[in-house]
Amino acid sequence: MEQLTVTKKDGNNYTEYELAGAFNAYTAPTVQNKIYKSIAKMNVVLDLSKVEELDSAGMGVIMAAHNDAEEFNTKLYLLSPSNEVENELLETGFRDLFRIITSVTEAVL
C-alpha cells in the first residue's frame, strides 16, 4: 500500500498541511478528515510539493475542500504543486480554479 505523510503546521489565521507521498484512494480519507475540519474554521494551505502521485480520489478531496472553502468563506491555497500534481490539474482542466502559490507569504491570509 502506498504511504502518505501529512504534517500540520499552524499559522496566524491558516493551517498548512504538507503532503508527502501518494495522494490516492488509499490515503485520501486521512487527508480529507484533517482538511475538512480546518477549512470550516480558517484558511488552509496544502503544500503539494512532495506529492508523488495524485489520482481522482485525491483530486476529489482537493475539489471538495475548495467547494467547502467557498461555502464557509475561507480560502484554500495549493502551495508549490509537484509535477505530478500540476499535470493532473492541467489534465482535469481545473488548474485555473485554484489559488496556486509558491510561498505562504503570497497568500492573502
Side-chain angles (χ1 to χ4, degrees):
M1 180 182 348
E2 293 92 359
Q3 295 292 318
L4 180 71
T5 303
V6 181
T7 305
K8 180 181 176 184
K9 302 174 187 176
D10 291 317
N12 287 337
N13 63 345
Y14 70 94
T15 300
E16 178 182 344
Y17 292 97
E18 179 185 280
L19 308 181
F23 190 11
N24 57 31
Y26 297 108
T27 60
T30 301
V31 177
Q32 177 179 346
N33 293 334
K34 293 177 181 188
I35 293 172
Y36 292 0
K37 288 179 184 176
S38 296
I39 202 82
K41 301 174 191 170
M42 65 185 63
N43 300 323
V44 170
V45 176
L46 286 182
D47 182 346
L48 302 173
S49 62
K50 298 177 184 173
V51 172
E52 299 168 357
E53 175 190 339
L54 177 65
D55 71 2
S56 60
M59 194 65 210
V61 169
I62 294 171
M63 288 295 300
H66 170 77
N67 292 340
D68 284 355
E70 295 289 317
E71 179 181 332
F72 293 115
N73 202 29
T74 57
K75 293 184 176 122
L76 174 69
Y77 296 93
L78 305 184
L79 175 62
S80 301
S82 66
N83 287 336
E84 290 76 13
V85 172
E86 186 70 34
N87 289 338
E88 187 68 23
L89 292 173
L90 289 170
E91 286 178 19
T92 59
F94 293 127
R95 188 184 190 289
D96 292 337
L97 180 70
F98 297 106
R99 293 174 178 89
I100 298 176
I101 58 175
T102 56
S103 168
V104 290
T105 59
E106 291 178 55
V108 179
L109 306 171

